[in-house]
């Protein structure tokens, strides 16, 4: 009976170790909900808006919006664009978006491939709005920058049990980002 008990204990320990090793070699997923992204944007908005102002775009605090169908993260805000023609400024509601990707140097999820999705100009005659929107969409997204950090991953999210975990895939869902992490030996 005692030999059977030891054999059973060894078998159980082996099963636990194999399960633990399996757990440490499979991907894990973390979720970053829209409210957390909104809070992060609110905290960084002074720096982000300063960069935008340097490029002729004055904005109010944004509302962060997730667009799962396009795998993009958007910011909606009131904007004023200095077009550089006789002091003309265009005012309206704008939505810009980018594709979330991981930047390993910053340990952050950043937005790349910026575009102006819409700009509802309020101070132009209706016949000039179409052309103006096309020009704004072609120029403003490029001026904002190559990438903007929207969430910095914490050390405890990127390491566990002596392994580094590297973000491999980011999926935009209706109310959150799902980030799949792959284990990586140090």
């Amino acid at each position: 009976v005692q030999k059977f008990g030891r054999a059973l204990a060894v078998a159980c320990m082996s099963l636990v170790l194999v399960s633990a090793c399996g757990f440490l070699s499979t991907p894990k997923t973390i979720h970053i909900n829209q409210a957390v992204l909104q809070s992060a944007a609110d905290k960084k908005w002074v720096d982000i808006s300063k960069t935008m102002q340097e490029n002729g775009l004055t904005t109010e605090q944004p509302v962060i919006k997730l667009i799962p169908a396009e795998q993009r993260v958007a910011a909606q805000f009131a904007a004023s664009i200095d077009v550089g023609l006789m002091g003309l400024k265009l005012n309206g509601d704008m939505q810009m978006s980018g594709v979330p990707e991981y930047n390993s140097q910053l340990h952050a999820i950043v937005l790349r491939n910026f575009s102006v999705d819409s700009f509802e100009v309020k101070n132009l005659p209706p016949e000039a709005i179409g052309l103006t929107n096309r020009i704004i969409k072609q120029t403003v997204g490029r001026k904002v920058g190559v990438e903007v950090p929207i969430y910095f991953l914490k050390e405890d999210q990127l390491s566990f049990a002596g392994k580094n975990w590297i973000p491999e895939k980011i999926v935009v869902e209706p109310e959150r980002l799902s980030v799949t992490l792959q284990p990586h030996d140090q």
Side-chain angles (χ1 to χ4, degrees):
V1 172
Q2 211 171 22
K3 283 184 180 183
F4 176 73
R6 280 189 202 146
L8 183 59
V10 168
C12 287
M13 285 301 289
S14 297
L15 183 59
V16 167
L17 288 173
V18 167
S19 295
C21 289
F23 171 74
L24 292 175
S25 64
T26 59
K28 69 177 185 172
T29 302
I30 59 172
H31 303 285
I32 306 161
N33 68 37
Q34 188 274 338
V36 170
L37 294 172
Q38 182 68 57
S39 176
D42 292 347
K43 289 176 186 172
K44 296 288 290 173
W45 191 247
V46 171
D47 296 331
I48 294 169
S49 66
K50 190 180 297 183
T51 300
M52 292 176 136
Q53 278 183 325
E54 291 168 0
N55 289 290
L57 179 64
T58 304
T59 62
E60 291 182 4
Q61 197 83 7
V63 173
I64 301 301
K65 180 179 168 188
L66 301 174
I67 310 172
E70 298 175 27
Q71 289 299 294
R72 295 179 76 82
V73 176
Q76 295 176 327
F77 45 81
S80 176
I81 300 173
D82 183 354
V83 294
L85 298 171
M86 298 180 284
L88 178 63
K89 287 189 177 190
L90 302 177
N91 300 310
D93 296 319
M94 181 177 283
Q95 177 175 302
M96 294 182 72
S97 68
V99 177
E101 293 182 15
Y102 179 66
N103 179 315
S104 61
Q105 293 174 330
L106 297 174
H107 298 292
I109 296 171
V110 299
L111 294 182
R112 293 189 174 143
N113 302 323
F114 268 98
S115 68
V116 175
D117 302 329
S118 63
F119 184 46
E120 303 298 324
V121 183
K122 295 180 179 178
N123 62 328
L124 277 182
E127 58 274 3
I129 290 176
L131 174 62
T132 303
N133 275 334
R134 284 191 297 279
I135 292 168
I136 297 299
K137 286 181 180 186
Q138 291 173 358
T139 59
V140 172
R142 282 187 235 128
K143 284 184 168 187
V144 170
V146 176
E147 55 188 42
V148 174
I150 60 168
Y151 183 80
F152 290 90
L153 292 162
K154 297 168 186 71
E155 185 64 35
D156 64 338
Q157 292 173 308
L158 297 174
S159 64
F160 175 73
K163 288 188 178 260
N164 284 334
W165 294 76
I166 312 262
E168 174 187 83
K169 181 178 176 184
I170 300 171
V171 177
V172 179
E173 297 177 351
E175 295 178 11
R176 66 187 185 184
L177 296 181
S178 288
V179 182
T180 302
L181 305 168
Q182 283 290 347
H184 179 71
D185 291 321
Q186 293 178 344

